[in-house]
Amino acid sequence: MNIKNGFVGTIGNTPLIRLKSFSDETGCEILGKAEFLNPGGSVKDRAALFIIEDAEKKGLLKPGGTVVEGTAGNTGIGLAHICNAKGYKCLIVIPETQSQEKIDTLKTLGADVRTVPAVPYKNPENYVKVSGRLAEEMDNAIWANQFDNLANRLAHYETTGAEIWQQTNGKIDAWTAATGTGGTYAGVSLYLKEKNPDIKCIVADPMGSGLYSYVKTGEIKPEGKSITEGIGNSRITLNMQDVPLDDAIQIDDQECVRVVYQLLRKDGLFMGGSVGINVGAALALAKQMGPGHTIVTVLCDGGGRYQSKLYNPQWLAEKGLSPS
Ligand code: PMP
């Protein structure tokens, strides 16, 4: 019998997919960890589960309690599902710039959703800081604090990283991923480097994020902006501290859009925007490294969450972006 135990038991153990058109084009094996197949639809289900179970183990989250979080959407969706499955309440603070699809999903899942203006982290009204204050003011509530809670990267060290190692039989030359909290990148990088220090760990970065310049020059200097959601950062989170950073690759929105439409039209994969940055970086890396290498990245979530933006021709045209 091969039966999974409820929502929680269905998180993880996702397939590793060979991205055919990109692999054929470069002579490399470009592989995507299919995180959009998690039951909550994204890579963030893993972090949400580890954060909640860590708080349970520490006795911080008690029956009937509330999980509070500031999120670009996917962590909130993961948390809201797990809260339903475990009998907790969920309060989500989300910047109003995030896709309506994610905000609507959170409401459908029963979360108490507070949208706030998108302001930089240094502003006290930033969504992350608002969520921290709300959690402090409430009884029997925890702040998930995904950016600086190391249970986040531990999820990816213990599960995502270990699965990738096993699925490739250790035959992997490079790993690349964009970072939001950095949990996925950090956990997988730490696991893979421990297994084989020769595996290159490369940060993929959208425009408007400061990590590319940080890796290249040591200075966090964001330039430009991006249509992608859930990735990019202008600070080094606790999850990103003391992690392998062999190099960084910057991918702009036009390349991101071209890549997601190639995935859609040639590979049959309907993916979210951060996947365009990740696969775009894997493609650039394959060209740098030359044929014969195995490069792994992550397919964070599906395209349905961005139907009104990335997959809306009029919206794309207004941004001056085109699928080809
Ligand atoms: N892609 C998407 C669509 C996301 O929502 C997130 C998380 N915010 C990421 C990538 C990055 O994941 P992490 O927080 O583990 O860096």
Side-chain angles (χ1 to χ4, degrees):
M1 289 214 294
N2 181 14
I3 293 165
K4 311 259 190 191
N5 193 9
F7 183 93
V8 163
T10 310
I11 296 172
N13 288 309
T14 54
L16 188 60
I17 301 179
R18 178 175 188 269
L19 304 177
K20 187 173 184 303
S21 77
F22 294 91
S23 298
D24 291 350
E25 183 179 327
T26 57
C28 284
E29 290 296 292
I30 299 185
L31 311 177
K33 187 74 170 141
E35 293 304 293
F36 63 97
L37 293 177
N38 277 303
S42 90
V43 67
K44 299 301 308 202
D45 286 2
R46 297 183 193 253
L49 179 61
F50 267 60
I51 287 170
I52 287 183
E53 295 200 334
D54 177 63
E56 286 175 335
K57 276 183 216 139
K58 289 177 175 157
L60 301 170
L61 186 58
K62 299 179 198 70
T66 304
V67 178
V68 182
E69 184 59 324
T71 155
N74 281 331
T75 303
I77 292 170
L79 290 171
H81 277 291
I82 298 166
C83 284
N84 284 339
K86 284 178 172 274
Y88 300 117
K89 295 188 277 288
C90 187
L91 192 165
I92 297 300
V93 183
I94 184 169
E96 61 198 6
T97 47
Q98 302 307 294
S99 79
Q100 196 58 44
E101 288 89 332
K102 287 191 289 191
I103 294 170
D104 291 343
T105 302
L106 282 164
K107 289 180 179 163
T108 301
L109 293 175
D112 176 356
V113 182
R114 317 272 175 95
T115 53
V116 294
V119 295
Y121 183 74
K122 57 181 186 291
N123 187 319
E125 295 312 311
N126 172 272
Y127 71 108
V128 175
K129 293 194 174 144
V130 171
S131 71
R133 282 202 302 275
L134 281 169
E136 217 166 278
E137 289 161 8
M138 291 167 68
D139 287 334
N140 195 11
I142 62 147
W143 182 33
N145 190 20
Q146 57 169 332
F147 288 90
D148 297 310
N149 182 341
L150 296 179
N152 172 1
R153 82 178 188 194
L154 186 66
H156 297 287
Y157 176 87
E158 286 190 0
T159 73
T160 325
E163 290 168 27
I164 290 170
W165 180 255
Q166 209 184 19
Q167 285 167 314
T168 55
N169 287 325
K171 197 196 161 309
I172 162 170
D173 299 295
W175 148 256
T176 184
T179 71
T181 65
T184 312
Y185 175 84
V188 172
S189 297
L190 289 167
Y191 188 91
L192 293 177
K193 278 281 188 195
E194 213 173 272
K195 288 289 181 189
N196 176 3
D198 293 337
I199 297 172
K200 296 274 176 279
C201 297
I202 316 278
V203 167
D205 215 29
M207 302 306 292
S209 173
L211 294 180
Y212 176 79
S213 71
Y214 176 75
V215 173
K216 293 289 190 186
T217 69
E219 223 186 315
I220 298 180
K221 251 187 145 179
E223 270 174 32
K225 55 183 184 162
S226 174
I227 60 159
T228 56
E229 297 182 21
I231 55 172
N233 213 328
S234 55
R235 71 179 178 106
I236 306 302
T237 62
L238 270 190
N239 277 293
M240 278 299 280
Q241 277 174 24
D242 305 315
V243 300
L245 292 167
D246 291 317
D247 202 358
I249 293 177
Q250 193 171 47
I251 301 294
D252 67 19
D253 282 347
Q254 180 49 54
E255 176 64 357
C256 166
V257 169
R258 188 192 72 75
V259 165
V260 292
Y261 277 86
Q262 181 173 328
L263 283 164
L264 179 70
R265 291 168 177 169
K266 293 197 174 162
D267 295 280
L269 292 162
F270 180 37
M271 296 288 95
S274 68
V275 178
I277 303 293
N278 285 351
V279 176
L283 176 65
L285 195 54
K287 288 176 181 167
Q288 264 177 35
M289 295 177 87
H293 294 95
T294 298
I295 298 165
V296 178
T297 190
V298 53
L299 312 177
C300 312
D301 66 0
R305 280 182 186 172
Y306 311 92
Q307 194 87 52
S308 63
K309 291 179 156 182
L310 189 54
Y311 294 99
N312 172 355
Q314 197 186 336
W315 186 89
L316 270 189
E318 278 164 17
K319 302 277 172 196
L321 298 167
S322 105
S324 49

